[in-house]
Amino acid sequence: MRLKVNLAVDILLSILFYSRLVNGQTESIQSESSQTSSASADPTVAVIADPASFVLPFIGTTNGGHVFPGATLPHGMVKVGMDTDSPANHAGYDSNPMFNVTGFSQLHDSGTGGSVSLSNFKIFPFAQCSSFGKCPTTFAARKTLRKLLPDGQSPCTVFDIGGFLTLLLPRPGSPDDFASPGYFSTNLTNSVRVELTATRRTALHKYTFPAGTLNPRIMVDLTNDGQRSSTNPVLTLDPETAKVEGGASFAASFGPGQSNASLSSSANPLRVPLFAGRYEAFTCVTFKGEGYDLGKPVQYGAWQGSFPVEGTTDIQQLYLNTKCAGLVGEVGALFTFLPAPRDQKTTILVRAGVSFISSKQACANAEEEIPDFGFERVQREARAQWNDVLGRIQVDTRGVPKETVQLFYSSLYRTHISPADYTGENPKWTSTEPYYDSLYCNWDTYRTLYPLMSLHDPVTFARIVRGMIDIQKNEGWLPECRGATAMHFIQGGSNADPILGEFFVKFHEHAEAMGVSADDLYNALLADAEDEPPNWNLQGRQANVWKQFNYIPQDMTAPGGANTKQASRTLEHAFNDFSISQVAKVLGKTDDARKYAQRAGNFVNVWNPDITVPDGPGIIGMVQPRLANGTFNFTDPRHCSIHDPAMATCFLNAANRDGFYEGSPIIYSQYVPHDNAKLMELQGGLDKFVSRLDFIFEQNYFESTNEPSQQMPYMYHYANRPGLSTQRARQTIAQFFNTSTNGLPGNDDSGAMGSYAAFYLAGLYPLPATRQFLLSSPYFPQISFFNPVFNSTTTIRSINFGGNPADGTGGNVFVKSVTVDGKPYKSHCYLDWDVFTAGALVELTLTEDIEVECGAKGMDGALPPSLSTGGYD
């Protein structure tokens, strides 16, 4: 999902990004461990025992990437990190050092658009205040810059604020920040050193004050989330222990923002949330001296705005001023502690438990997960968890630039930041099932994130699926876009369908053992496919007209949701129904499999064969909006692209009648991932299919920033031109991805861009809810995938590996032939899932000849499957 607010900012940042692409280190490296893997096909390849050492969490932390670089566990609920006053980063942090630090909060998302999400319960240290009552507690007054490293100029940034261009001049050097999986640190210009680590539901902070600090003070900010949207705050503090308990209600990032309401429908007798735009969150904060007895606070009190009131223990003792819509002013707690003895550093540990149910539960979470305030232990255990999940994919680093290894493991790392494991923290119903949140949004992540999880983390995948099914049981439909327990706006269709399809098609034989009920999963899919919700802006689909017309007509308004995105939703629902057909087929439901496969072909109903593209010779036929009477409306094929004469956007807006969401008709006219053979037929045959793809790349219609384009570089496979796919995919990496702080082409979209880049670097591209992976060549001499459910390892080894051309063009990288366990494989263009279940050695013979094909002449089944030609059977 692209950034939805302040489009001018987004455009300017993109311009700056593209003008400043930088190259990282290019030295080759050896694996960092001399151990050999028992699962490795080549015993001379050393295991990377500490893949976390290759992760660069700061990739994408400026100029629109919105990546969270702080401390968290794989899929941890707590994401503790630095917040800055940058107007352009949604994960709190901005690596540009010109921005001030405003606090260190416990909750964040990563890579999102919408409005700034989370950033709740900021902690802030004061080394110097003239007095307790004059500590600068407000968001604006406490702002502090970071110290700098002497490494040259940091970038200047331009923002459009109120119609005026504002140039923020650079400060010399990079910020004195450091991050690795499970750990973050910084040095502030007030000479306080800050270190952060985390467990699943609890953050642990370490504040080391400068020598000579007489009155170390620490503030808890209850109300300033990323949007400063709090209402209904509660806060108490204990004058003996400095324990703080509190919480408030906050606005969701990408949802409607109204108070909760509910209604019943005949289709869903459950009480279904109509608006779920706010959420409640709670914290429990406690303190301990490191190496000395902190004792009880010397001074304590609640604060409101710029006025700490010494001796108060409850914010009811303040005159809380409310703003418009019930928003409250800034509120929190402030403490002064004794410094450490003269021969010790004054280091204060702050433990912050978090809950979405109550402050009492936040306290219980903290006590359960970090009873000893053991910072080094928590950090060590966090890194071990990261190394466990990252180490299941091993690469041979010989002859590979270090930057490439860093880019791969950093991309893989970001795929495990979200969704977040909120199990036990669902305030809406009681359940023994897992609960995952930060599904922001399935439209972004279903294409690549979950198929990557299939390859190496199916146990977590199963828990996420169980959580989605439990949501459907309680809310009537599978979740689509969700954050902090609140529903957000749907972007495409009911895109949990291909996620559940991906899991079941690949793991149906193990689903019961992993706690996934086949019946419940299928019933959840049918609810999306057949039952129309009362508000399809938030869940499900506009199912009734979909079933009536076999497309979404452009001219039919209904009270259940916005009449927008009709053409792109038609394409999304076609793929969603394809996913359901594959599950039905596995379950032996022959009639259903046929029914949903037929509905998967509905994309043809929005194909207008008469549309041409200006300056696109020979390109005829395009997806277009269609009216209920069967006639087509017209949307300029360039609409929403960089070539759009009107410079229009396709974001969420009920007034939009263009028919598309976040992509031009040119892009969406390529989006039939399950039936490229039929798409080729619609476009006039193989040669015109290839020339259209060439036109899209050469005229810059391809959008690296946006998910509907992700399969496009690999689509040449379907035309028996896999060499072109390999080159386009590698050019995409070379042009749009690197290891700098602005090394992403746009929002990371909750790991969608990370998984996309990881697949390209692995030489694979998935099609969700199928048993196929499109095949290219990896960026490594060898890459291995360990799957803990199968207890098997599949290794892809490149024969004649000669390195990776820096610009992605040419090289000895094209796949000439493929063997699996020494036997010639049926295709050079894809691998079946069977290769990954039992474990196998896949050997690719590489060549410099870009004219390679999917198989030898006469080889049956060499082309990747398509629905209309009998594929996927």
Side-chain angles (χ1 to χ4, degrees), residues 27 29 44 97 328 332 392 541 549 637 656 719-720 779 828 838 868:
E27 72 270 22
I29 58 172
T44 67
V328 300
R392 296 173 196 169
R541 0 171 160 164
F549 291 93
N656 282 353
N720 202 26
Y779 277 59
H828 308 159
S868 62

Side-chain angles (χ1 to χ4, degrees), residues 404-463:
T404 302
V405 183
Q406 291 172 324
L407 183 61
F408 177 76
Y409 279 112
S410 299
S411 300
L412 181 61
Y413 167 79
R414 295 198 309 278
T415 69
H416 292 284
I417 296 177
S418 296
D421 185 354
Y422 282 28
T423 300
E425 292 297 334
N426 180 6
K428 299 186 175 184
W429 60 84
T430 300
S431 175
T432 58
E433 283 298 275
Y435 177 69
Y436 280 74
D437 210 285
S438 295
L439 306 171
Y440 198 148
C441 297
N442 293 341
W443 182 83
D444 296 299
T445 56
Y446 79 83
R447 296 167 175 84
T448 54
L449 190 144
Y450 293 99
L452 185 59
M453 197 172 282
S454 289
L455 286 171
H456 74 290
D457 196 17
V459 174
T460 301
F461 190 5
R463 287 175 52 81

Side-chain angles (χ1 to χ4, degrees), residues 317-389:
Q317 296 170 271
L318 309 176
Y319 286 104
L320 289 184
N321 60 309
T322 59
K323 301 178 181 179
C324 62
L327 301 179
V328 300
E330 302 175 68
V331 172
L334 178 66
F335 300 96
T336 306
F337 295 101
L338 286 172
R342 291 183 180 275
D343 60 342
Q344 297 183 38
K345 293 181 179 179
T346 296
T347 298
I348 299 176
L349 296 164
V350 182
R351 184 183 66 185
V354 177
S355 173
F356 289 91
I357 294 175
S358 69
S359 60
K360 295 298 182 187
Q361 180 150 319
C363 293
N365 292 342
E367 286 291 341
E368 176 187 342
E369 296 179 350
I370 315 180
D372 58 350
F373 284 76
F375 192 94
E376 285 71 26
R377 175 189 63 79
V378 172
Q379 179 187 349
R380 182 174 60 252
E381 291 175 359
R383 191 178 185 92
Q385 289 192 44
W386 278 111
N387 276 329
D388 173 49
V389 70

Side-chain angles (χ1 to χ4, degrees), residues 760-827:
Y760 276 33
L761 291 165
L764 297 168
Y765 190 82
L767 180 59
T770 74
R771 297 175 66 85
Q772 282 78 38
F773 291 89
L774 300 180
L775 177 65
S776 182
S777 64
Y779 277 59
F780 311 97
Q782 180 171 296
I783 184 169
S784 297
F785 301 89
F786 172 70
N787 194 305
V789 165
F790 304 131
N791 193 29
S792 66
T793 297
T794 293
T795 296
I796 301 174
R797 181 192 297 168
S798 295
I799 299 172
N800 303 327
F801 179 81
N804 305 297
D807 63 357
T809 302
N812 196 66
V813 298
F814 306 108
V815 178
K816 182 179 180 181
S817 64
V818 179
T819 63
V820 175
D821 293 332
K823 299 179 180 178
Y825 196 61
K826 61 183 178 182
S827 175

Side-chain angles (χ1 to χ4, degrees), residues 2 24 31 33 71 173 222 251 322 344 353 375 452 462 472 526 536 577 602 641 790 793 815:
R2 296 173 181 165
S31 298
S33 169
L222 183 73
T322 59
Q344 297 183 38
F375 192 94
L452 185 59
Q472 185 275 324
L526 293 184
W536 66 76
D577 282 342
N602 283 349
S641 76
F790 304 131
T793 297
V815 178

Side-chain angles (χ1 to χ4, degrees), residues 597-609:
Q598 184 174 356
R599 279 168 52 164
N602 283 349
F603 64 89
V604 300
N605 296 327
V606 289
W607 186 269
N608 187 336

Side-chain angles (χ1 to χ4, degrees), residues 503-518:
F503 175 82
F504 198 75
V505 167
K506 289 188 170 72
F507 295 102
H508 56 91
E509 294 175 342
H510 301 264
E512 184 178 357
M514 290 192 282
V516 177
S517 163

